[in-house]
Amino acid sequence: MDEILSSGHAEPVPTECPPDGKIWYLPHFAVYHPKKKKLRVAFDASVKYQDKCLNDELLSGPDHVNCLPGILLRFRKEPIAFSGDIQKMFLNFKVNTEERDYLRFLWVDRDLETIKEYRMTVHLFGATSSGVATFALRKLASEASEKHPAAANFIIKDFYVDDGIRSVKSPEEAINLIRDTTNICKAANLRLHKFISNSREVLEAIPESEKTANLQGLHLYKDTLPSERTLGLGWCTEKDAFIFTSNPIDKPATKRGILSSVSQIYDLLGFLAPFLLQGRIVMQQACQESKGWDNEVSPTLQSKWKQWRDNLNNLNQIHIPRCLKPTEFGDVKRAEIHYFSDASFDGYGACAYSRIINNEGNIHVTLIAAKSKVVPLKGLTIPRLELQSSVEATRLKSFIGEELDMDIDQECFWSDSKAALGFIKNNDTPFQFFTANRVSEIRRHSNPKQWHHVPGSENPADSVTWSFSKSTYEKHMV
């Protein structure tokens, strides 16, 4: 709180009353982050008094926040990657003087006896109107787009609020991009710092004070580069791979405990789709038992839950290459994306793989993203579930096509269900509503000629429908 006051982010309330006589007091509390070992002051604009809260009265404005999975997807395009963070972004944008009385709060003086009134002078994280910070950042980038087009594009497309990540072709390009983006931010008194990269050459060009804490004091050419969390996803910069860490779960075998445990696994691109599906199946079965949220589930379900929970330790063994192409692969001559879909009575889903070919004819195949869903309680036949999984494949295609920003020479769809393929390619028979709606969506995003049959034993999407066990996990996931 001393830092907030000394930096001018808050000021004493003036003696004169506001012209309209309207004020609002914000509750605040301390939030401690054990991993970062930081204490933050959080102001809550959603607390209600007499059925009103500050957020109810604030305008949100247009949504300028980029799609988070899309940013992560583009982060996989090129071999050289880096990330950075804008220091205290929301606290860098002032609130009009006449509106600050809606941001009042109480604080005790150092004698612990005198209560004083203060008001914030800057925008708050968590307030509905705080989106103005993102708007201002994008406006700043737009104004600099003629002088620094690449840096402006980076800020507009690949920043998620105050965090920016980008992958480029060479260390030189990364160094120039970091320099230009830093200069754009400096023009508005914004500090872009906490940089990390998988390239030692890039890190060498960044001042020590602007690197992430784990890099400061590190010998770049002797020590191992650290792992960091990038937009919530673990990134091992030494191996340039996405990693997953699992903390021991000490939750009771109740609906509340199971939901909490499954929800804590962060996986926006579906790398853990087969594993997460099994946890969601257990949750669905727990809901079917018609017990309270804090009552233990049946012994049979407890056994399934324990098996899933014990397999959390295996997540530490998974390393997903960050880049879609290997190091020294060279220029891509041809790029293809292959979508696979599959279903069972437990779950259905789809996955997408890139297949790239360089000038020497070398081929590299990498998982791009995947999706898995639990079969709804309302029973569906396998042909209908297979058709629904094909819909998921086309939705995955729409997402990748919109966000990846990459030239693709060919897209193919694969299913091991001849029934689903028959629905998709049939132009003569009228369908019932369920089938007709899904076939219509599939055809909107793909051409029936793009769909092909793959044997079930060779279908990678089959993994999202397996009954989970440690042996199948080690065979197909690790």
Side-chain angles (χ1 to χ4, degrees), residues 46-95:
S46 63
V47 170
K48 288 184 177 290
Y49 173 71
Q50 294 183 351
D51 295 327
K52 284 188 178 182
C53 70
L54 181 62
N55 276 344
D56 291 340
E57 308 301 321
L58 296 175
L59 294 176
S60 61
D63 183 7
H64 288 298
V65 179
N66 289 315
C67 171
L68 182 52
I71 296 174
L72 291 171
L73 202 62
R74 291 188 292 276
F75 188 54
R76 305 190 66 196
K77 284 178 59 179
E78 302 295 346
I80 305 299
F82 67 89
S83 71
D85 169 79
I86 295 177
Q87 184 183 37
K88 299 177 181 177
M89 177 170 164
F90 293 98
L91 300 182
N92 285 288
F93 294 91
K94 293 286 187 180
V95 173

Side-chain angles (χ1 to χ4, degrees), residues 380-412:
L380 293 175
T381 63
I382 286 294
R384 284 192 168 192
L385 288 170
E386 292 280 6
L387 187 62
Q388 186 63 49
S389 71
S390 300
V391 172
E392 294 301 327
T394 57
R395 290 174 180 173
L396 197 58
K397 179 254 184 185
S398 297
F399 160 68
I400 292 174
E402 183 177 343
E403 297 291 347
L404 186 55
D405 191 21
M406 180 176 171
D407 293 330
I408 304 299
D409 297 291
Q410 184 180 12
E411 291 179 308
C412 294

Side-chain angles (χ1 to χ4, degrees), residues 169-449:
K169 293 182 178 180
S170 67
E172 294 78 16
E173 186 178 350
I175 293 169
N176 292 334
L177 188 56
I178 290 171
R179 182 197 62 222
D180 293 343
T181 308
T182 301
N183 289 336
I184 290 176
C185 292
K186 272 185 181 178
N189 295 319
L190 299 175
R191 181 191 177 194
L192 188 58
H193 69 150
K194 291 186 179 179
F195 286 104
I196 189 167
S197 174
N198 63 330
S199 167
R200 286 173 166 82
E201 187 178 340
V202 172
L203 293 173
E204 193 174 29
I206 299 172
E208 192 76 5
S209 61
E210 304 306 294
K211 297 175 186 175
T212 186
N214 290 338
L215 280 171
Q216 294 180 12
L218 199 72
H219 193 294
L220 294 179
Y221 294 96
K222 290 183 180 180
D223 298 331
T224 302
L225 295 181
S227 297
E228 289 282 345
R229 294 193 72 79
T230 305
L231 293 180
L233 198 59
W235 179 29
C236 175
T237 53
E238 181 67 31
K239 296 181 179 179
D240 195 21
F242 292 127
I243 57 175
F244 301 88
T245 55
S246 59
N247 299 318
I249 291 179
D250 187 21
K251 301 282 186 181
T254 62
K255 281 199 296 186
R256 193 183 306 278
I258 294 171
L259 178 62
S260 174
S261 302
V262 174
S263 300
Q264 78 174 25
I265 298 179
Y266 185 82
D267 180 35
L268 288 179
L269 294 181
F271 298 135
L272 306 180
F275 178 71
L276 276 174
L277 177 71
Q278 305 308 318
R280 291 168 182 154
I281 290 173
V282 174
M283 181 62 202
Q284 185 189 63
Q285 293 174 352
C287 291
Q288 285 181 282
E289 290 189 347
S290 301
K291 293 184 178 181
W293 278 93
D294 296 306
N295 295 335
E296 288 196 346
V297 297
S298 65
T300 302
L301 203 53
Q302 285 189 43
S303 176
K304 292 182 180 180
W305 168 242
K306 184 178 183 301
Q307 181 185 14
W308 184 87
R309 187 183 60 191
D310 292 345
N311 275 297
L312 277 171
N313 297 327
N314 290 321
L315 299 186
N316 298 322
Q317 304 172 40
I318 297 179
H319 292 75
I320 304 292
R322 179 200 58 80
C323 189
L324 295 177
K325 56 185 179 183
T327 308
E328 308 300 332
F329 187 76
D331 294 331
V332 176
K333 181 181 179 181
R334 179 179 175 82
E336 304 171 359
I337 298 182
H338 294 259
Y339 301 90
F340 297 85
S341 59
D342 192 47
S344 74
F345 282 118
D346 291 326
Y348 62 93
C351 56
Y353 285 82
S354 68
R355 182 178 184 268
I356 55 176
I357 306 171
N358 65 9
N359 293 325
E360 288 74 38
N362 298 320
I363 300 174
H364 182 72
V365 177
T366 307
L367 174 67
I368 301 177
K371 295 175 69 175
S372 65
K373 290 188 176 181
V374 180
V375 170
L377 293 176
K378 181 182 178 181
L380 293 175
T381 63
I382 286 294
R384 284 192 168 192
L385 288 170
E386 292 280 6
L387 187 62
Q388 186 63 49
S389 71
S390 300
V391 172
E392 294 301 327
T394 57
R395 290 174 180 173
L396 197 58
K397 179 254 184 185
S398 297
F399 160 68
I400 292 174
E402 183 177 343
E403 297 291 347
L404 186 55
D405 191 21
M406 180 176 171
D407 293 330
I408 304 299
D409 297 291
Q410 184 180 12
E411 291 179 308
C412 294
F413 295 85
W414 303 84
S415 172
D416 57 18
S417 170
K418 293 183 178 179
L421 292 174
F423 288 140
I424 296 168
K425 298 188 177 186
N426 190 332
N427 292 317
D428 302 322
T429 306
F431 299 121
Q432 294 180 345
F433 286 121
F434 180 95
T435 304
N437 289 338
R438 282 149 185 81
V439 170
S440 176
E441 182 175 350
I442 291 170
R443 290 181 177 177
R444 278 200 305 271
H445 302 290
S446 67
N447 189 309
K449 294 180 179 179

Side-chain angles (χ1 to χ4, degrees), residues 126-193:
T128 300
S129 59
S130 60
V132 71
T134 303
F135 170 81
L137 182 64
R138 293 168 70 95
K139 187 175 188 302
L140 182 68
S142 298
E143 292 173 349
S145 59
E146 289 189 12
K147 187 176 180 181
H148 303 295
N153 178 269
F154 170 40
I155 293 174
I156 292 172
K157 290 193 65 176
D158 290 322
F159 262 73
Y160 187 77
V161 189
D162 58 345
D163 292 300
I165 62 174
R166 174 61 74 95
S167 64
V168 294
K169 293 182 178 180
S170 67
E172 294 78 16
E173 186 178 350
I175 293 169
N176 292 334
L177 188 56
I178 290 171
R179 182 197 62 222
D180 293 343
T181 308
T182 301
N183 289 336
I184 290 176
C185 292
K186 272 185 181 178
N189 295 319
L190 299 175
R191 181 191 177 194
L192 188 58
H193 69 150

